[in-house]
C-alpha cells in the first residue's frame, strides 16, 4: 500500500470549511497517538506539526467544499492519495455548513459579508467532499469518535475493509436503557440517524441531532408514526433536520 520506501503508510490530514474539531479528536487520542505512529508515518498534520509533504498514501479530509479553489485542492489530494477518507459531518454530508443550501444565497452573503459579499468566490451550496471527488471511506460525526477513527485507520493499515454500522441511533438508546427523548417531550432524530456513536447525546440527557447523517434506507414511515404518536408533524421538526441533513435532503443521496 505504501508509496514510501519504508513499510509504513504515509498519512496526511487536510481541512476545508469546518471547525477542525475532528482533527482535534485525533490529537485527543493522547497516549494512543504513540501506538498510531508505530503503524503509520505522518506526512502532513497542520494541527500537530508544521511539517508538510505531498507524498502520502492515506488522506483524511475534514470540512465541506464551498469554493472552486476547494475543488482544485481536493482534486490534487485525490491524485496524490491511494485512499481518501472523509472525516466528520462536514466532509461526509456537508454538515452544519449545508444549512445555507435551502436559503437564498444572495441573502446569505449579505448577512455574512455585508456589502462585500461579491469579493468572496463561493458556491451557492456547501458540498460534502464526495460530491467533488471519489471518496473511499467515511467516518461520520460532529465531532468524530476518536476510537472509531483509530479502528478505521488500523483496518486500512492491515488491509481490512473498514465496516461502518447501518442501524439507527434508537437501537443504541435501547441497549443503553435510555428514556426515549420523545417521552421527555423532546424532538429527536435518532429514528433516522446512523448509529455508531453509542447514543452519546441521549445518554447525556439531550436529543440526537443527526450529526452522523441519515441511516441508509431509513424507515420513514416508522419515523412519521413516532412523530404522529407524540403530536408532532414533519414540518415541526424540519429545522432540526436542516441542522445536519441539508445536503442529504436536497440531493436525495441516501439510497
Amino acid at each position: 500500500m505504501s508509496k514510501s520506501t519504508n513499510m509504513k503508510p504515509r498519512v496526511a490530514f487536510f481541512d476545508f470549511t469546518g471547525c477542525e474539531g475532528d482533527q482535534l479528536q485525533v490529537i485527543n487520542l493522547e497516549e494512543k497517538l504513540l501506538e498510531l505512529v508505530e503503524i503509520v508515518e505522518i506526512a502532513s498534520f497542520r494541527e500537530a506539526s508544521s511539517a508538510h509533504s505531498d507524498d502520502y498514501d492515506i488522506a483524511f479530509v475534514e470540512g465541506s467544499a464551498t469554493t472552486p479553489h476547494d475543488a482544485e485542492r481536493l482534486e490534487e489530494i485525490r491524485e496524490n492519495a491511494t485512499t481518501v477518507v472523509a472525516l466528520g459531518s462536514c466532509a461526509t454530508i456537508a454538515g452544519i455548513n449545508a444549512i445555507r443550501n435551502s436559503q437564498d444565497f444572495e441573502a446569505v452573503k449579505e448577512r455574512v459579508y455585508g456589502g462585500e459579499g461579491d469579493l468572496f468566490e463561493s458556491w451557492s451550496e456547501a458540498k460534502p467532499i464526495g460530491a467533488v471527488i471519489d471518496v473511499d471511506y467515511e467516518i461520520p460525526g460532529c465531532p468524530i469518535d476518536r476510537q472509531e477513527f483509530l479502528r478505521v485507520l488500523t483496518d486500512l493499515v492491515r488491509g481490512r475493509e473498514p465496516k461502518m454500522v447501518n442501524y439507527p441511533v434508537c437501537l443504541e438508546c435501547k441497549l443503553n436503557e435510555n428514556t426515549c427523548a420523545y417521552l421527555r417531550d423532546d424532538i429527536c432524530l435518532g429514528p433516522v440517524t446512523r448509529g455508531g456513536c453509542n447514543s452519546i447525546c441521549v445518554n447525556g440527557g439531550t436529543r440526537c441531532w443527526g450529526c452522523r447523517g441519515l441511516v441508509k434506507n431509513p424507515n420513514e414511515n416508522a419515523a412519521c408514526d413516532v412523530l404522529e404518536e407524540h403530536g408532532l408533524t414533519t414540518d415541526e421538526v424540519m429545522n432540526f433536520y436542516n441542522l445536519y441533513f441539508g445536503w442529504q435532503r436536497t440531493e436525495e443521496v441516501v439510497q
Side-chain angles (χ1 to χ4, degrees):
M1 174 180 191
S2 176
K3 296 183 289 186
S4 58
T5 55
N6 62 32
M7 296 305 294
K8 290 183 183 179
R10 291 173 60 82
V11 174
F13 293 83
F14 300 93
D15 48 88
F16 287 78
T17 303
C19 68
E20 302 185 18
D22 301 307
Q23 292 177 77
L24 290 177
Q25 280 290 80
V26 176
I27 295 174
N28 286 340
L29 283 167
E30 298 176 343
E31 70 275 2
K32 288 189 177 293
L33 278 175
L34 298 177
E35 300 175 21
L36 191 63
V37 297
E38 289 294 321
I39 61 173
V40 299
E41 182 178 345
I42 304 299
S44 183
F45 192 177
R46 187 173 61 83
E47 288 284 349
S49 171
S50 59
H52 172 76
S53 171
D54 289 324
D55 176 21
Y56 47 84
D57 305 288
I58 305 173
F60 287 97
V61 181
E62 177 180 8
S64 63
T66 60
T67 71
H69 178 62
D70 287 347
E72 293 173 4
R73 284 185 62 208
L74 284 168
E75 288 166 1
E76 291 176 1
I77 292 168
R78 178 70 271 185
E79 184 176 348
N80 287 340
T82 302
T83 303
V84 173
V85 183
L87 196 63
S89 297
C90 289
T92 58
I93 56 173
I96 289 178
N97 295 320
I99 290 175
R100 77 183 202 197
N101 291 8
S102 59
Q103 303 178 39
D104 179 78
F105 183 53
E106 294 303 317
V108 170
K109 286 198 299 182
E110 174 69 22
R111 187 162 65 246
V112 175
Y113 300 115
E116 298 180 343
D118 290 338
L119 298 178
F120 299 89
E121 188 177 24
S122 179
W123 292 329
S124 61
E125 291 185 327
K127 303 177 183 181
I129 66 169
V132 181
I133 60 170
D134 289 334
V135 171
D136 300 295
Y137 303 101
E138 296 181 343
I139 302 177
C142 184
I144 60 166
D145 180 280
R146 54 185 180 268
Q147 299 303 324
E148 187 171 46
F149 165 82
L150 191 60
R151 176 180 61 78
V152 169
L153 179 55
T154 301
D155 284 346
L156 290 174
V157 171
R158 293 179 177 175
R160 298 190 301 229
E161 187 78 8
K163 300 296 183 182
M164 307 304 291
V165 305
N166 186 42
Y167 51 71
V169 172
C170 288
L171 175 62
E172 294 171 339
C173 268
K174 291 177 181 178
L175 291 173
N176 288 321
E177 300 182 349
N178 288 326
T179 299
C180 179
Y182 284 100
L183 296 179
R184 295 187 273 103
D185 294 324
D186 206 344
I187 293 174
C188 183
L189 300 184
V192 294
T193 297
R194 180 191 297 273
C197 59
N198 193 35
S199 64
I200 184 171
C201 291
V202 187
N203 297 350
T206 182
R207 60 174 73 107
C208 171
W209 301 87
C211 76
R212 291 175 65 87
L214 286 168
V215 66
K216 289 184 178 179
N217 302 308
N219 191 335
E220 296 174 359
N221 291 333
C224 289
D225 289 343
V226 170
L227 296 180
E228 183 177 349
E229 179 183 348
H230 293 278
L232 298 166
T233 67
T234 303
D235 288 341
E236 289 177 287
V237 298
M238 196 58 68
N239 284 339
F240 290 100
Y241 280 83
N242 275 338
L243 183 63
Y244 282 103
F245 294 169
W247 174 264
Q248 290 184 300
R249 287 182 57 243
T250 57
E251 298 300 320
E252 298 180 343
V253 295
V254 177
Q255 302 298 320

